[in-house]
Amino acid sequence: QQSVLSQLQASGAEAAAPNDPGDLTLVIHTPDPGRGDLFGAPNLRGDSHAVAATAGAVREALDRGNDVAVADLRFGNGADVALIEELAKTGLLWRLCAYGGWNTAGNALGSTIALGVSYVLAKRLGTLDADAARRALARRVVDDYAWQSIQRPALSLPLFDGQISPVSPERSRRGEPIALDALRATLA
């Protein structure tokens, strides 16, 4: 709870009072009790009960007309594949104003709040660029879900010998078209 309040404060926002719908609903897909990391253990799958609860909270908030941001903190270094697939299957994913599920819980939470607050503020000021907002959401989904949770673990060993450290420019150039093809296949 303190992390959420600190991240809100850093963004210039504050938590709404009880029974106040606020301007943005932040739904947090809470961490896995085992604290799994998708880089070190790439085949982690979400808990169906946690996925259903998060998707339900998203649906309820959207049905009330709220702008919704989802901070996917289930696993470190990537999205909960089961959550993204459920949100996509039920038509909720592209109705979000923000999403984040990358790197550490703090990074995912902070970037989600920043995107959500930016969206709400631009909407309030009449300066919202809906296409830019959709691209920002799509970027997070492509990076956090398709790359970090699916393709990076699959390609890490064959392309980069499982190294987490920077790779040579030559190896990077060789791997880029393979990674792009893999991402396209994931998102098709």
Side-chain angles (χ1 to χ4, degrees):
Q1 184 177 357
Q2 187 56 45
S3 290
V4 173
L5 295 174
S6 295
Q7 294 281 5
L8 286 171
Q9 182 180 19
S11 76
E14 58 186 40
N19 300 319
D20 177 353
D23 298 310
L24 174 69
T25 298
L26 175 64
V27 176
I28 300 174
H29 189 49
T30 56
D32 173 45
R35 307 298 291 183
D37 185 306
L38 288 166
F39 189 80
N43 294 317
L44 296 172
R45 289 295 289 179
D47 173 275
S48 61
H49 298 296
V51 167
T54 300
V58 168
R59 178 175 298 288
E60 287 174 22
L62 288 169
D63 287 350
R64 286 192 307 268
N66 298 12
D67 291 315
V68 179
V70 173
D72 182 353
L73 312 183
R74 194 73 183 164
F75 306 114
N77 285 307
D80 182 345
V81 170
L83 175 64
I84 291 292
E85 291 174 353
E86 179 66 16
L87 293 174
K89 180 180 79 177
T90 57
L92 301 173
L93 181 61
W94 301 113
R95 293 175 60 197
L96 299 175
C97 70
Y99 170 83
W102 65 287
N103 201 265
T104 66
N107 286 344
L109 180 62
S111 63
T112 302
I113 290 171
L115 280 173
V117 168
S118 297
Y119 180 93
V120 168
L121 184 58
K123 191 171 148 182
R124 180 184 293 169
L125 295 173
T127 60
L128 178 65
D129 180 337
D131 290 335
R134 186 161 177 91
R135 284 192 307 274
L137 176 61
R139 174 64 187 249
R140 291 279 34 105
V141 172
V142 168
D143 191 358
D144 304 353
Y145 163 72
W147 175 245
Q148 290 189 40
S149 297
I150 297 174
Q151 292 304 332
R152 181 179 63 180
L155 297 174
S156 176
L157 192 58
L159 291 182
F160 308 114
D161 299 325
Q163 294 178 16
I164 195 167
S165 59
V167 297
S168 71
E170 177 188 328
R171 186 174 268 186
S172 182
R173 279 190 296 278
R174 242 185 17 243
E176 187 174 290
I178 296 166
L180 286 173
D181 287 344
L183 281 171
R184 285 185 189 105
T186 299
L187 296 169

